[in-house]
Amino acid sequence: MLGNIDLWRSEEMQLVQLMIPSEAAHDTVAALGEVGLLQFKDLNTEKSAFQRTYANQVKRCDEMARKLRFLTEQVHKAHLSVGGRSPLWEKTVTMDELETKLEELEREVTELNSNNDRLQRTHAELSELAILLERAGQFFDNARAVASRDAVNTNVPHAPSQDFGAPLLDSDRETTVDAKLARLGFVAGLIHQEKLVSFERLLFRATRGNMFLRQAQVGKVQDPATTEMQEKSVFVVFFAGERARTKIMKICEAFGANRYPFPEEVSRQRQMHSEVTARLHELHTTLDAGDMHRQNVLTGVAQNLESWTLLVRKEKAIYHTLNKMNMDFTRKVLVAEAWVPSNARARVSEALRQAAEHSHTQVNTVLQPLAMQHQQPPTYFRTNKFTECFQTIVDAYGIANYREVNPAVFTIMTFPFLFAVMFGDFGHGVLMLLFALFLVLNERSLGKTQLDDMSSMAFGGRYCILLMAFFSMYVGALYNEFFAMPMTLGGDTKFRCYIGSETSPTGPTDLRDCSHAGGHIKFPGGEPYPFGVDPAWRGSKTELPYLNSVKMKMSILLGVLHMNLGIIMSLFNNSYFRDYLSTWCEFVPQMIFLNGLFGYLCFLIVFKWVTPNCFADLYHVLIAMFLDPGTVDKTGFLFTGQAGLQVLLLLLCLVAVPWMLLPKPLILKSRADKAKKAGGEYHRMGEDEEGHAAASTSQGDGGHGQGHGEHGEFEFGEVMVHQMIHTIEFVLGAVSNTASYLRLWALSLAHSQLSGVFYERVLMGAMQSNNTAAIFIGFFVWALATLGVLMVMESLSAFLHALRLHWVEFQNKFYRGTGHKFTPLRLVPTVWWNSCLWYMIALLHASQTACAMCM
């Protein structure tokens, strides 16, 4: 029955050879890419990328991809949305037309950007000049007003043509001084506000104080060099002498100050200001027209950008695949080898026929099978949107070997269930269910939206979250927890309150009042609580010891069952690959050892549960089984014949260890010696006659890779050392892995206690205050703690621990995971979130190290 499950084993693969006519090669590969079921082998590994036949075409596609990246960047800078592709996008434009179109668009957009940058710089310079004319003009106007007042006060007639610099130097100085000595020069411009202090200090030192600086802040101004908005100040530096001018010019250049010409005459200043204003108005008009034209061009690009990108990617993938083929120049054909699922041969043949008709070639492509020649085929599982997430979880550990048993079949159920054992709470499961239903019900709209990394991972695993929510609700009902509050799904409690030594319950119905009435609570017998934990345990003094005992024993039971399932799956591998030696020398002793110790412990746990008035100490039983075999005292007695059974199980476990260690290497050595004497070549067990040589080589040892060579000389020492390591690993792992499943108990206890603390200390503490504001704040804090700590952090913790239990404790019993994934040529665009699952693989690989330390 399991053999009929699609995920149980990978698809049967076949190595085929294709002889494609060179004139139809492009159309043939394109048709095969649409089918998406062929993985081409590289037959030119000895050639570099530049020595291959279609290297120029690949280079051409790379150049077109570069242009598309440039256009995409420009579209994003313009804040435009990229339009969807047309249903017939492949037929709208040819590669030659697209190449010409992209070259024209790149040239046009580059020219528009260059013109826009030049105009923006000019606009910024003129804007700074206009600000300078306005602010610096105020400096001079104020200085002239002061000079006029001084002239009136000293009764000195003020000449209209008097130099502006005279009042600054000395208003009492005679005007008969030489004009060349008395006249001041000045430099005006704008500088970054943060550099102004250093700029002034350096000017003072360089001119030895022979300068006068006036400055005023102007706010944020666009810088012509960087086109960024910067806080700037207008400055005017007055000086005397050409040497001072030279120094000031160099200092301005060093500080990145923008200098502008500034006329002394007022009329010339006004004329220049009007000219600059007119120029700015013209530039505004030009820039607006240029932006509008650039926007129209990029809008047209955005509508076709995705289609063009897909077309270029498709062409590059086609030529990259063609470069993997050998060219037979004598027959003018391309020879290719590819892996294809056996049940897809008909689809591939039909695609080849349609490609030949479309290309009008006279010779059809020849498709013929090849012998595998001990090559390991790729692993391919057919998955859907439901099983993809669980297959990704398994693949994160390692890709299954060809035709190896796939753990994902059982992981679909065991992973969410073990998660729920640690996370079980009915209320928290309801919250998770609402989130999962939101993702599932809106999968069409969300599938068309580009989400961030975390959201895309959650969306890719929406069905896993859905199952985790259902199982969390189920286990939460078993634990009888609803946000740390007990439920009565199975009716009222079966415990009753007894007063004194009465034989019938006469105490209060509400068990919380039993102690106040002087009574005691006990179970009257009869039918127990029908479903889950009796609500009477909640809030009692024995709640924690009782739940700890139940959850710890439940964790051991689940762990031993899970590990037994892993060992049984190794039997399916051995049977399929005809490795009967591993079945008798590994599977049988492993089952005996694991169940002789921990299987017996599980039997004792269940036996004690179903036996009334049984108070045996299981710790004492297990310790005495090793220290004093054959003896059972009163504290450890459970059933008649217990001592003999324990001695028998202990002897079987002792025999199982050398059984795992010695027979298999010795039998393999005997077979190798016989083959050597017969003059034949040694072949490993498990190799079938139907071409599964590679798979048998990797699985013939029971899935643990003895490493004693596929063919050729047999190395007994290497096989013996590996078998010894494998035996020690299993014996020690049986103990450590069983203890590792106690994390189910530990995390369940932590989750329950955290939920109880938040409920009792935060929510109920606020409710008992009888203060409306305190109740509102308490509920708000409780909701945040529930969502942030329990729903996010605790769920991630339970997820990682469930992941470790599957990777380490379960899969190491049978799963090798050393295969390589089937990666066919697929030219049909897929939805964006499908690739997010492989991002999840990277995240799970990153967490694998941390997961191994979670003990």
Side-chain angles (χ1 to χ4, degrees):
M1 181 180 67
L2 290 174
N4 297 326
I5 301 177
D6 290 339
L7 284 178
W8 181 241
R9 297 191 187 277
S10 60
E11 295 282 338
E12 289 190 7
M13 307 298 293
Q14 190 172 20
L15 183 63
V16 296
Q17 184 185 60
L18 295 91
M19 303 184 69
I20 309 173
S22 56
E23 66 274 10
H26 181 278
D27 293 338
T28 302
V29 173
L32 295 177
E34 297 294 333
V35 175
L37 290 173
L38 269 82
Q39 177 180 325
F40 288 89
K41 294 178 61 179
D42 191 356
L43 304 181
N44 299 312
T45 54
E46 72 284 354
K47 294 182 180 180
S48 65
F50 302 100
Q51 294 175 334
R52 306 203 177 199
T53 308
Y54 295 93
N56 292 331
Q57 286 81 353
V58 174
K59 184 178 179 181
R60 176 192 181 193
C61 292
D62 287 335
E63 180 64 19
M64 295 172 67
R66 182 196 62 79
K67 296 175 181 177
L68 286 171
R69 288 194 298 270
F70 167 76
L71 294 175
T72 302
E73 181 182 355
Q74 298 300 315
V75 168
H76 290 162
K77 284 183 178 180
H79 304 289
L80 297 174
S81 59
V82 178
R85 64 183 178 90
S86 171
L88 301 175
W89 62 273
E90 298 91 343
K91 301 179 181 179
T92 55
V93 63
T94 63
M95 284 295 290
D96 293 335
E97 295 173 347
L98 180 59
E99 184 178 22
T100 304
K101 183 71 173 178
L102 291 178
E103 186 176 356
E104 295 175 354
L105 287 172
E106 183 188 28
R107 183 170 57 252
E108 183 177 4
V109 173
T110 302
E111 185 177 352
L112 288 173
N113 290 341
S114 177
N115 294 335
N116 183 73
D117 292 341
R118 185 169 58 253
L119 292 174
Q120 288 286 359
R121 285 194 298 270
T122 304
H123 183 271
E125 291 175 353
L126 291 175
S127 298
E128 287 191 348
L129 179 56
I131 294 173
L132 176 66
L133 291 171
E134 181 181 351
R135 294 300 181 90
Q138 294 177 2
F139 295 160
F140 284 84
D141 292 341
N142 294 337
R144 290 190 182 95
V146 172
S148 298
R149 287 196 303 268
D150 291 344
V152 172
N153 294 335
T154 56
N155 296 322
V156 177
H158 176 66
S161 61
Q162 183 180 0
D163 182 44
F164 166 74
L168 294 175
L169 294 176
D170 188 0
S171 60
D172 297 330
R173 178 172 296 182
E174 297 180 357
T175 58
T176 58
V177 181
D178 188 1
K180 292 183 178 180
L181 297 177
R183 186 177 181 83
L184 291 175
F186 62 89
V187 174
L190 278 81
I191 190 172
H192 199 281
Q193 182 66 34
E194 295 178 355
K195 300 179 181 179
L196 184 60
V197 177
S198 301
F199 178 68
E200 183 177 4
R201 184 182 300 113
L202 188 57
L203 285 174
F204 184 84
R205 293 177 179 177
T207 60
R208 298 183 180 181
N210 295 321
M211 66 90 188
F212 179 74
L213 176 67
R214 293 292 305 273
Q215 57 87 18
Q217 296 185 10
V218 296
K220 287 190 175 182
V221 181
Q222 186 179 17
D223 185 70
T226 62
T227 67
E228 296 178 356
M229 301 301 292
Q230 298 179 356
E231 292 283 346
K232 289 195 173 186
S233 295
V234 170
F235 69 89
V236 179
V237 183
F238 297 93
F239 59 88
E242 290 298 324
R243 291 184 62 185
R245 175 187 291 273
T246 303
K247 292 180 180 180
I248 293 172
M249 294 293 188
K250 292 181 179 180
I251 293 173
C252 290
E253 293 178 2
F255 278 85
N258 299 325
R259 296 177 288 104
Y260 296 99
F262 187 82
E264 296 184 17
E265 298 81 5
V266 177
S267 59
R268 178 58 181 155
Q269 292 177 14
R270 293 175 179 173
Q271 179 183 358
M272 191 172 184
H273 188 274
S274 62
E275 292 175 356
V276 169
T277 304
R279 225 10 236 295
L280 283 173
H281 181 72
E282 294 176 359
L283 280 177
H284 271 297
T285 305
T286 306
L287 284 172
D288 290 341
D291 289 341
M292 185 178 298
H293 178 60
R294 182 174 179 273
Q295 196 79 0
N296 292 334
V297 172
L298 292 179
T299 300
V301 171
Q303 294 175 354
N304 301 286
L305 192 58
E306 184 176 355
S307 299
W308 293 345
T309 303
L310 290 174
L311 179 58
V312 172
R313 288 179 180 176
K314 174 183 175 180
E315 290 297 317
K316 184 179 179 180
I318 291 173
Y319 287 116
H320 181 69
T321 303
L322 290 173
N323 277 332
K324 295 181 180 180
M325 305 178 186
N326 279 331
M327 172 66 80
D328 189 344
F329 293 97
T330 58
R331 291 182 289 180
K332 295 182 180 180
V333 295
L334 290 170
V335 180
E337 293 182 7
W339 292 104
V340 59
S342 299
N343 56 9
R345 281 282 303 273
R347 292 181 58 188
V348 172
S349 300
E350 178 64 20
L352 293 176
R353 185 188 63 80
Q354 293 179 359
E357 293 178 357
H358 182 267
S359 58
H360 305 290
T361 180
Q362 298 179 353
V363 181
N364 292 337
T365 300
V366 178
L367 176 69
Q368 57 186 5
L370 293 178
M372 293 189 183
Q373 299 178 353
H374 310 295
Q375 301 179 65
Q376 184 174 1
T379 302
Y380 173 54
F381 294 103
R382 294 183 183 272
T383 58
N384 51 40
K385 61 183 180 180
F386 177 78
T387 59
E388 178 69 24
C389 175
F390 299 98
Q391 187 63 52
T392 302
I393 291 175
V394 174
D395 291 346
Y397 179 83
I399 305 299
N401 284 17
Y402 177 64
R403 302 295 289 171
E404 182 181 14
V405 169
N406 185 14
V409 175
F410 293 101
T411 301
I412 293 175
M413 289 292 109
T414 59
F415 185 87
F417 178 71
L418 293 183
F419 169 87
V421 171
M422 296 177 279
F423 190 75
D425 187 288
F426 194 87
H428 298 157
V430 170
L431 293 180
M432 185 174 289
L433 178 64
L434 294 177
F435 176 67
L437 288 177
F438 169 77
L439 296 177
V440 172
L441 297 177
N442 295 280
E443 64 179 11
R444 289 190 177 181
S445 59
L446 292 175
K448 300 176 182 178
T449 306
Q450 189 72 29
L451 303 176
D452 56 71
D453 293 335
M454 293 300 296
S455 300
S456 62
M457 282 194 299
F459 180 72
R462 60 195 180 278
Y463 289 102
C464 181
I465 299 174
L466 183 65
L467 289 184
M468 291 192 299
F470 281 128
F471 278 108
S472 296
M473 294 170 61
Y474 170 72
V475 177
L478 289 178
Y479 291 163
N480 205 348
E481 292 185 10
F482 181 82
F483 295 112
M485 295 179 288
M487 301 180 293
T488 56
L489 296 178
D492 293 333
T493 176
K494 298 297 183 178
F495 285 84
R496 295 292 181 265
C497 180
Y498 291 80
I499 303 297
S501 58
E502 295 178 354
T503 57
S504 60
T506 58
T509 306
D510 192 347
L511 299 181
R512 292 175 293 182
D513 300 329
C514 184
S515 59
H516 299 290
H520 59 279
I521 302 173
K522 70 177 184 179
F523 183 64
E527 292 295 329
Y529 198 71
F531 184 79
V533 177
D534 194 301
W537 290 102
R538 293 295 172 184
S540 64
K541 295 181 179 180
T542 56
E543 174 190 2
L544 195 57
Y546 169 74
L547 292 179
N548 274 344
S549 177
V550 171
K551 290 182 179 180
M552 180 179 65
K553 294 172 182 177
M554 180 188 64
S555 300
I556 294 176
L557 290 173
L558 293 176
V560 174
L561 287 174
H562 204 209
M563 290 188 291
N564 272 288
L565 176 61
I567 299 176
I568 291 173
M569 292 185 74
S570 70
L571 175 63
F572 288 108
N573 276 335
N574 297 335
S575 300
Y576 180 81
F577 295 108
R578 302 176 185 175
D579 188 6
Y580 305 113
L581 179 61
S582 294
T583 299
W584 289 106
C585 296
E586 288 184 352
F587 168 75
V588 174
Q590 285 176 2
M591 291 293 291
I592 291 175
F593 185 85
L594 180 65
N595 293 286
L597 295 179
F598 301 103
Y600 178 64
L601 175 61
C602 294
F603 167 75
L604 294 180
I605 292 173
V606 177
F607 185 85
K608 183 179 178 180
W609 280 349
V610 300
T611 303
N613 300 322
C614 183
F615 302 102
D617 187 355
L618 299 185
Y619 296 106
H620 180 76
V621 172
L622 216 62
I623 293 173
M625 179 178 174
F626 289 94
L627 298 182
D628 192 10
T631 303
V632 178
D633 54 15
K634 293 182 179 180
T635 59
F637 180 79
L638 287 164
F639 55 89
T640 305
Q642 179 182 349
L645 178 61
Q646 290 180 174
V647 172
L648 177 61
L649 292 176
L650 192 59
L651 290 176
L652 288 176
C653 292
L654 292 176
V655 172
V657 175
W659 190 351
M660 283 186 283
L661 176 62
L662 298 175
K664 184 174 181 178
L666 294 176
I667 294 175
L668 289 175
K669 184 178 185 303
S670 175
R671 292 178 179 177
D673 292 340
K674 290 181 181 179
K676 188 175 182 180
K677 289 180 181 179
E681 191 179 34
Y682 172 68
H683 295 271
R684 288 173 50 178
M685 284 290 296
E687 183 173 342
D688 56 37
E689 300 175 357
E690 297 179 1
H692 296 297
S696 304
T697 298
S698 62
Q699 295 292 345
D701 52 7
H704 298 285
Q706 261 63 6
H708 47 71
E710 296 181 1
H711 301 278
E713 187 176 356
F714 177 80
E715 295 291 342
F716 176 74
E718 182 181 351
V719 175
M720 191 66 195
V721 169
H722 187 90
Q723 191 70 17
M724 183 183 302
I725 294 173
H726 171 56
T727 303
I728 295 173
E729 178 187 7
F730 180 83
V731 172
L732 297 180
V735 179
S736 63
N737 292 348
T738 305
S740 181
Y741 278 94
L742 292 177
R743 71 184 67 240
L744 299 173
W745 158 50
L747 266 76
S748 175
L749 176 64
H751 185 83
S752 177
Q753 292 301 306
L754 273 176
S755 181
V757 167
F758 292 149
Y759 171 72
E760 295 174 4
R761 302 298 181 184
V762 179
L763 184 59
M764 295 308 298
M767 296 290 290
Q768 293 171 1
S769 66
N770 294 325
N771 186 304
T772 305
I775 293 175
F776 177 78
I777 296 174
F779 178 80
F780 181 73
V781 173
W782 174 80
L784 287 182
T786 299
L787 294 176
V789 178
L790 297 177
M791 294 303 300
V792 178
M793 297 178 62
E794 280 287 306
S795 64
L796 289 177
S797 176
F799 183 89
L800 287 177
H801 283 282
L803 196 64
R804 182 228 153 82
L805 290 177
H806 281 78
W807 282 357
V808 180
E809 277 71 31
F810 173 59
Q811 291 181 188
N812 72 343
K813 301 295 186 296
F814 67 97
Y815 188 64
R816 292 197 64 196
T818 57
H820 57 278
K821 194 174 182 65
F822 179 60
T823 54
L825 173 66
R826 185 168 295 160
L827 301 180
V828 179
T830 57
V831 290
W832 64 268
W833 55 265
N834 197 29
S835 61
C836 295
L837 293 171
W838 293 108
Y839 179 83
M840 184 179 180
I841 290 179
L843 180 64
L844 294 177
H845 271 303
S847 64
Q848 185 176 11
T849 304
C851 226
M853 299 174 64
C854 296
M855 294 296 296

